Amino acid sequence: PPNDIISLIPAPIQIFIDRFLKLGVATTTLVFVLAGILITLEAYSAATHNPLPTGVDKFIVQVVEPNFTPGLLVLLGFSVSLGVFTAAQLGSEGAQYKE
């Protein structure tokens, strides 16, 4: 019987997990950076007394800012999960990991 969990996971499932985690890291990184840019834009507009359009300012304050830290935690979760999964694959005989 296999002595590691990776060898119990069929190759197509390993590939799916790997791609899902990579897509999650890429997507959450992009969203996190865009959120940072929007927050910076809102702060700049407040500091220079050049108000943003009401709808844009409202979206940044009510949606982007409250979800900024939870978004970072989601990014961290995807990143750590990908690292653990990849490390497990590297130490497994049944791995489908390729650089």
Side-chain angles (χ1 to χ4, degrees):
N3 58 1
D4 65 77
I5 194 165
I6 295 296
S7 59
L8 298 174
I9 302 171
I13 304 291
Q14 288 185 44
I15 292 167
F16 172 78
I17 293 169
D18 184 65
R19 288 181 181 164
F20 173 77
L21 292 173
K22 286 177 180 175
L23 180 63
V25 168
T27 302
T28 55
T29 299
L30 179 63
V31 169
F32 186 73
V33 169
L34 289 174
I37 291 169
L38 288 174
I39 290 170
T40 302
L41 179 66
E42 194 269 335
Y44 177 79
S45 75
T48 60
H49 303 289
N50 293 318
L52 295 171
T54 306
V56 174
D57 188 65
K58 186 176 179 181
F59 175 75
I60 294 170
V61 171
Q62 294 181 356
V63 176
V64 176
E65 289 178 1
N67 291 301
F68 190 71
T69 301
L72 177 59
L73 296 177
V74 172
L75 170 59
L76 181 63
F78 271 114
S79 180
V80 168
S81 298
L82 179 60
V84 168
F85 183 71
T86 302
Q89 281 185 315
L90 289 174
S92 172
E93 297 289 327
Q96 292 300 313
Y97 179 79
K98 294 184 175 86
E99 280 287 329

